[in-house]
Amino acid sequence: MACIADYYAGKSVLITGATGFMGKVLVEKLLRCCPGVSAVYVLVRPKAGQSMQQRVSDMMKCKLFDRVREENPDFHKKVVPISSELTQSGLAISPQDAAKLSACVNIVFHCAATIRFDEPLKHALQLNVIATQQLLSLAKQMHNLEAFVHISTAYANCNRRHIDEVIYPPPVEPKKLIDSLEWMDDGMVRDITPRLIGERPNTYTYTKALAECVVQQESDKLNIAIIRPSIVGASWQEPFPGWIDNFNGPSGVFIAAGKGILRTMRANNDAVADLIPVDVVINLTLAAGWYTAVHRPKTVLVYNCTTGGINPFHWGEIGECRHHVMSTFKRNPLEQAFRRPNANITSNYLINQYWILVSHKFPALLYDLYLRLSGQKPHMMRIFNRLHKAIGLLEYFSSQDWEWNSDNMSMLMGQLSPEDRKTFNFDVRQLNWPEYIENYCIGTKKYVLNEDMSDIPAARQHLRKLRNIRYTFNTLLLVFIWRVFIARSQMARNIWYFVVSLCFKFLSYFRASSTLTN
């Protein structure tokens, strides 16, 4: 069988979204495991006063590239930044750069997209659909193009409960929608958005479904593969366990829980939390690029890259005391936690609202009052409001189940040589969830919050301090309840004395039984 690394040797690759989470991992994996690759062109736009060269240079200095840097210190010479802007006509690529890409590129990996769930429809359409159309137009001009790999999402068709590896009819013809929205102002588009997206929860899933249709329309001219990952999380094995660089999706939930800020979350405990490690997605993507170029399938192959049907992990396991998130953060606490980690997951709306009031809003108000009295600016209530908004956007995905067919993923695995199955491993049956979740949580501490593991003893001491504060508060609350209710009511006193005497009798009986046994 042909080796994947051998195929990419001498090839020029174009990657969009290379400075994003998945794009970085794709660049790193390609340079480390396919060292013979000729060039990696990355579409980048200047941002926040940084030139595209500075952005790419800063990206390659991050810890993610440590392994490839050790093996090949000159790896950065193969990365060629191309100035581009997805919101502009023709992607704002200069004629000279377009000519260079048309002459050189062999494989395109389209990772760029807006992943914000609350993105205005017009902007989401521009980034996820129109930009894809324009990239396809550029791809058709590439003389030596062998494969076009489009990164979609497993939730593009979340209005269905069973999702096969096929491209479903779009909710609306993309060209008609683009032409219709062109003359509408933002307010008008905002008003009609709920009617347009229908059963889908947000503009992200809606526009990703439209993008799949746009890609399919060019399948007679290009060799195309579509990758549909579910909820992309931290790395499982490569380049090292637990690498993550953002607060998106589960990362933000884990950090909020570890900080003791998130105490309740509405989710179905028995629903599958379909997490997929980022390195699994990237390994599948590179393998799909190889298979598409070498075997040239007659139709677009769609790969549902999910874990739920193969090796499920449930939302209820996030809060289990035996392992997973809570226990990991108690052993490896985050610095300056607000409260001790402890999350309650419920599917009941009223219970969730009760815990939000008791465990979120009330402590936030007390803490902000303390900050005001000490002359500081209150901020905790604002943090909780942002948290509630983020959690609310996730509720749709945390309270339901989907079934994804993954036959193409299994087929592709069967096409790999034993060596490639190790190097480009995407067999999620081998994934050990407790170990992965622990590495994920530690990864958020090390790589997102940039906390030093040597400071864990101080963080544990802080948790003990929070525990003592909690015990003191509960004691004072009990005394207050006693003074207000029990001491002023004869009936309450009678009930209290009855309970105390009952406990005393039970203890006396237990002690007498133990003495007789001895």
Side-chain angles (χ1 to χ4, degrees):
M1 293 182 182
C3 175
I4 293 177
D6 288 345
Y7 166 73
Y8 284 103
K11 297 291 193 296
S12 292
V13 177
L14 172 65
I15 300 175
T16 69
T19 56
F21 175 48
M22 287 178 57
K24 288 178 191 173
V25 181
L26 176 56
V27 171
E28 191 278 338
K29 177 72 176 185
L30 191 58
L31 292 169
R32 177 166 51 84
C33 294
C34 304
V37 67
S38 176
V40 179
Y41 295 96
V42 295
L43 298 189
V44 187
R45 66 183 175 94
K47 183 180 180 182
Q50 283 186 310
S51 67
M52 61 172 185
Q53 290 88 353
Q54 286 176 315
R55 289 191 68 193
V56 173
S57 177
D58 290 348
M59 176 187 82
M60 291 187 291
K61 287 177 184 175
C62 79
K63 187 173 177 59
L64 174 69
F65 291 88
D66 282 357
R67 279 185 65 183
V68 67
R69 191 179 294 112
E70 289 175 9
E71 296 170 13
N72 179 15
D74 295 327
F75 76 96
H76 61 278
K77 293 180 180 178
K78 292 187 177 183
V79 181
V80 183
I82 301 290
S83 181
S84 175
E85 174 56 71
L86 297 183
T87 60
Q88 301 297 320
S89 176
L91 305 179
I93 299 175
S94 70
Q96 296 82 0
D97 286 338
K100 183 196 300 183
L101 295 175
S102 298
C104 299
V105 170
N106 304 110
I107 306 103
V108 174
F109 293 107
H110 182 34
C111 305
T114 175
I115 58 172
R116 284 182 53 189
F117 288 172
D118 56 350
E119 192 79 74
L121 178 58
K122 217 169 186 178
H123 197 233
L125 196 70
Q126 176 66 53
L127 292 171
N128 292 349
V129 183
I130 298 174
T132 301
Q133 281 182 330
Q134 296 183 338
L135 184 64
L136 286 163
S137 297
L138 177 63
K140 286 188 289 185
Q141 300 171 30
M142 295 176 179
H143 311 307
N144 303 303
L145 188 67
E146 299 175 9
F148 184 102
V149 182
H150 173 70
I151 307 298
S152 183
T153 172
Y155 297 99
N157 302 285
C158 57
N159 54 320
R160 301 170 180 269
R161 285 293 163 262
H162 181 85
I163 301 167
D164 287 312
E165 292 176 306
V166 298
I167 300 173
Y168 291 97
V172 65
E173 175 60 37
K175 187 178 185 308
K176 290 182 179 178
L177 180 64
I178 293 166
D179 293 341
S180 300
L181 296 188
E182 191 174 353
W183 59 269
M184 296 185 189
D185 60 36
D186 292 342
M188 193 178 297
V189 174
R190 186 171 57 251
D191 290 341
I192 66 170
T193 294
R195 291 286 301 274
L196 284 173
I197 65 176
E199 295 179 349
R200 288 179 173 82
N202 50 53
T203 58
Y204 170 68
T205 57
Y206 180 74
T207 53
K208 292 301 273 185
L210 295 178
E212 287 192 1
C213 173
V214 165
V215 171
Q216 186 186 37
Q217 289 170 354
E218 303 298 338
S219 60
D220 58 331
K221 306 176 188 71
L222 300 169
N223 295 322
I224 294 173
I226 295 177
I227 312 296
R228 287 181 183 157
S230 49
I231 304 171
V232 183
S235 60
W236 170 27
Q237 295 171 323
E238 296 181 272
F240 37 79
W243 187 80
I244 183 75
D245 73 343
N246 60 76
F247 290 90
N248 297 332
S251 307
V253 172
F254 292 170
I255 290 171
K259 286 282 190 181
I261 295 174
L262 177 66
R263 310 290 282 187
T264 183
M265 175 178 168
R266 192 177 176 208
N268 183 348
N269 282 286
D270 298 323
V272 172
D274 209 299
L275 298 179
I276 189 79
V278 64
D279 48 334
V280 170
V281 182
I282 297 308
N283 286 340
L284 174 64
T285 300
L286 287 169
W290 159 78
Y291 184 82
T292 304
V294 172
H295 294 271
R296 298 178 178 270
K298 294 180 180 179
T299 59
V300 176
L301 287 186
V302 178
Y303 301 87
N304 286 338
C305 187
T306 61
T307 56
I310 305 169
N311 184 4
F313 171 75
H314 300 89
W315 286 104
E317 295 177 83
I318 288 176
E320 283 187 0
C321 295
R322 290 179 290 111
H323 44 240
H324 302 145
V325 178
M326 294 304 115
S327 61
T328 298
F329 281 130
K330 286 174 181 175
R331 293 193 305 272
N332 306 281
L334 302 180
E335 296 174 16
Q336 297 302 310
F338 179 62
R339 297 175 73 183
R340 285 175 60 82
N342 186 25
N344 170 62
I345 295 179
T346 177
S347 58
N348 187 288
Y349 174 80
L350 292 177
I351 292 176
N352 184 57
Q353 289 301 309
Y354 166 77
W355 284 115
I356 285 175
L357 181 65
V358 172
S359 296
H360 287 185
K361 293 185 177 181
F362 182 61
L365 287 170
L366 285 179
Y367 189 71
D368 279 351
L369 177 63
Y370 162 76
L371 291 176
R372 287 180 188 277
L373 294 174
S374 59
Q376 300 177 62
K377 187 177 179 180
H379 61 266
M380 192 54 66
M381 199 64 193
R382 187 174 68 253
I383 291 175
F384 274 107
N385 288 336
R386 288 172 60 190
L387 175 65
H388 294 154
K389 182 181 178 181
I391 295 297
L393 293 172
L394 287 174
E395 271 187 19
Y396 178 89
F397 304 96
S398 62
S399 58
Q400 302 184 65
D401 268 322
W402 288 267
E403 293 179 7
W404 285 279
N405 182 302
S406 55
D407 289 346
N408 287 342
M409 197 170 164
S410 302
M411 176 279 297
L412 182 57
M413 198 180 304
Q415 295 291 320
L416 303 186
S417 66
E419 181 183 344
D420 280 344
R421 288 186 192 180
K422 293 179 182 178
T423 307
F424 300 91
N425 182 23
F426 52 88
D427 185 0
V428 294
R429 292 173 299 181
Q430 303 170 17
L431 180 61
N432 180 285
W433 282 112
E435 181 184 357
Y436 172 71
I437 294 298
E438 179 166 355
N439 288 331
Y440 195 153
C441 293
I442 293 173
T444 61
K445 177 179 175 68
K446 292 167 65 175
Y447 310 122
V448 179
L449 301 177
N450 295 313
E451 295 182 1
D452 197 324
M453 296 298 284
S454 63
D455 293 331
I456 284 180
R460 287 175 180 159
Q461 178 63 33
H462 180 69
L463 282 193
R464 285 193 287 270
K465 178 182 174 183
L466 291 175
R467 180 196 60 194
N468 294 338
I469 291 173
R470 178 189 171 194
Y471 287 163
T472 302
F473 178 81
N474 288 345
T475 302
L476 292 174
L477 184 64
L478 187 63
V479 170
F480 175 78
I481 291 172
W482 167 267
R483 294 297 301 168
V484 172
F485 296 104
I486 298 178
R488 297 186 180 184
S489 168
Q490 183 61 45
M491 182 180 291
R493 281 200 299 271
N494 292 340
I495 294 172
W496 172 257
Y497 293 143
F498 173 75
V499 171
V500 170
S501 63
L502 197 66
C503 291
F504 180 75
K505 288 178 181 178
F506 175 78
L507 289 173
S508 300
Y509 173 77
F510 180 76
R511 188 179 301 166
S513 300
S514 300
T515 304
L516 288 172
T517 302
N518 292 333

